[in-house]
Amino acid sequence: MAFYVRVSTEGQARVAEGSLKNQEQMLASELRRRNAGGAWGRLVGSYVDGGFSGSSIDRPEFKRLLADVERGAIDAIFFTELSRLSRSLKDFLGIFEFTQQHNCDLVCLKTEIDTTSPFSNLVVRILMVFAEFERDMTADRIRRNAYERSKRGLAYGGFEPLGYKRDPEHKGRLLVDTEEAKLVRDIFQTYLRKCSLLETLRVLKNQYDHPKIQKLSRNGIYGILTSRVYIGIREIKTTEGTEEVPGAWQAIITDKTFEQVREVLSGNGPGPRSPRHNYIFSGLIRCARCDKKLQGKSGTGRSGQVRYYYAHPGRCAEGGLHSIEAEDAHKLVDEWLARLAIDKEYFNELLEVGRKDWANSCGLSNPG
Ligand SMILES: [Zn+2]
């Protein structure tokens, strides 16, 4: 195990309370106390960042610490308070995930974070679910802003589609890039001749050295062939479906060609798989038997239908389920969170288990 101590400024490093020396002494006495009740662990070393802020994880000693955790040299990190490790919830959750992956516990002296305790583990996992939720909400806000812009037929920020370049004078407008537009037309024509995405890809890669062609994948070709950008239409994806408005740019492909390609594509089967499923609990739900984390996966079943599920890594040694349908898993977590929110008794029960556990891990006999 290891100590991690940090202060932001040189000035702080010198004052007694919270100084580097003081933090180290507190950790040392905590370790002595824990070791008195049975061998808890041997100190590998102290990692000391003086003069670095907790708002970023870009700290030399912290990085060295994580590297040592990664190579399995450290199985627990002691620190005085959460803010020493990180001042950002996002960073903390990242650190938590990383240390869990490498079987390293986090032990905090002043706050109830102690991953050797199942209860604070539970708290952290709930936090992670909410952090994920918050990320989704932020993404939703960004989408809504983009929607307002797109209503005016303006292009998204980010990459411009093959065949276009940004208009330096009008933000959100696209100009036809003559050289690339030729490539786009050739993609459509080649596909109409070959009627196969892979064949089209092969022909084009033989014909053009252009880096954007060399980088194309089967999915990329499919994306281009189905993008209504090329017939001058701005598509707006909303929860109700797709809206179309005239784009603030010129078409490269005629409606007729686009329609022909669409027909061939639909006759050729469904094309590449639809966008990935949102596995919101990937790595957060665990096997009840062996506690291993389940990961979101998709695959095509015997009936040819795509299946979304969470899978157990390898075979469960304790005979747990190999996989669970994503929808079922989401329902179960939903129900559990809902129960936690309304069933006060159940919540208190969990709290009590946690308190006892916390008290045990602190060596207290009578928890407050
Ligand atoms: Zn298992």
Coordinates of all heavy atoms in Angstrom, one line a residue, residues 287 289-292 312 316-318 320, ligand 1:
C287 N -21.8 -9.5 -11.4 CA -22.3 -10.9 -11.2 C -22.6 -11.0 -9.7 O -21.7 -10.7 -8.9 CB -21.3 -11.9 -11.7 SG -21.7 -13.6 -11.3
R289 N -22.9 -13.7 -8.1 CA -22.1 -14.8 -7.5 C -20.7 -14.5 -7.3 O -20.1 -14.7 -6.2 CB -22.2 -16.0 -8.5 CG -23.7 -16.5 -8.7 CD -24.1 -17.5 -7.6 NE -25.5 -17.9 -7.8 CZ -25.9 -18.9 -8.5 NH1 -25.1 -19.6 -9.2 NH2 -27.2 -19.1 -8.6
C290 N -20.0 -14.0 -8.3 CA -18.5 -13.8 -8.2 C -18.1 -12.4 -8.2 O -16.9 -12.1 -8.1 CB -17.8 -14.6 -9.3 SG -18.0 -13.8 -10.9
D291 N -19.0 -11.4 -8.4 CA -18.7 -10.0 -8.3 C -17.9 -9.5 -9.5 O -17.4 -8.3 -9.5 CB -18.0 -9.7 -7.0 CG -18.2 -8.2 -6.6 OD1 -19.3 -7.7 -6.7 OD2 -17.2 -7.6 -6.1
K292 N -17.8 -10.2 -10.6 CA -17.1 -9.7 -11.7 C -18.0 -8.7 -12.5 O -19.2 -8.9 -12.5 CB -16.7 -10.9 -12.7 CG -15.5 -11.6 -12.3 CD -14.8 -12.3 -13.4 CE -13.5 -12.9 -13.0 NZ -13.4 -14.3 -13.2
H312 N -20.9 -11.7 -19.0 CA -20.0 -12.0 -18.0 C -18.6 -12.2 -18.6 O -18.5 -12.8 -19.7 CB -20.5 -13.3 -17.4 CG -19.9 -13.6 -16.0 ND1 -18.6 -14.0 -15.9 CD2 -20.4 -13.6 -14.8 CE1 -18.3 -14.3 -14.6 NE2 -19.4 -14.0 -13.9
C316 N -18.5 -18.0 -15.6 CA -18.5 -17.7 -14.1 C -18.1 -19.0 -13.3 O -18.8 -20.0 -13.5 CB -19.9 -17.3 -13.7 SG -20.0 -16.9 -12.0
A317 N -17.1 -18.8 -12.5 CA -16.6 -20.0 -11.7 C -17.7 -20.4 -10.7 O -17.7 -21.6 -10.2 CB -15.3 -19.6 -11.0
E318 N -18.6 -19.5 -10.3 CA -19.6 -19.8 -9.3 C -20.9 -20.2 -9.9 O -22.0 -20.2 -9.2 CB -19.8 -18.6 -8.4 CG -18.6 -17.8 -7.9 CD -17.8 -18.6 -6.8 OE1 -18.5 -19.3 -6.0 OE2 -16.6 -18.6 -6.8
G320 N -22.7 -18.4 -12.1 CA -23.6 -17.3 -12.4 C -24.1 -17.2 -13.9 O -23.5 -18.0 -14.7
Ligands
ZN1 ZN -19.9 -14.7 -11.9

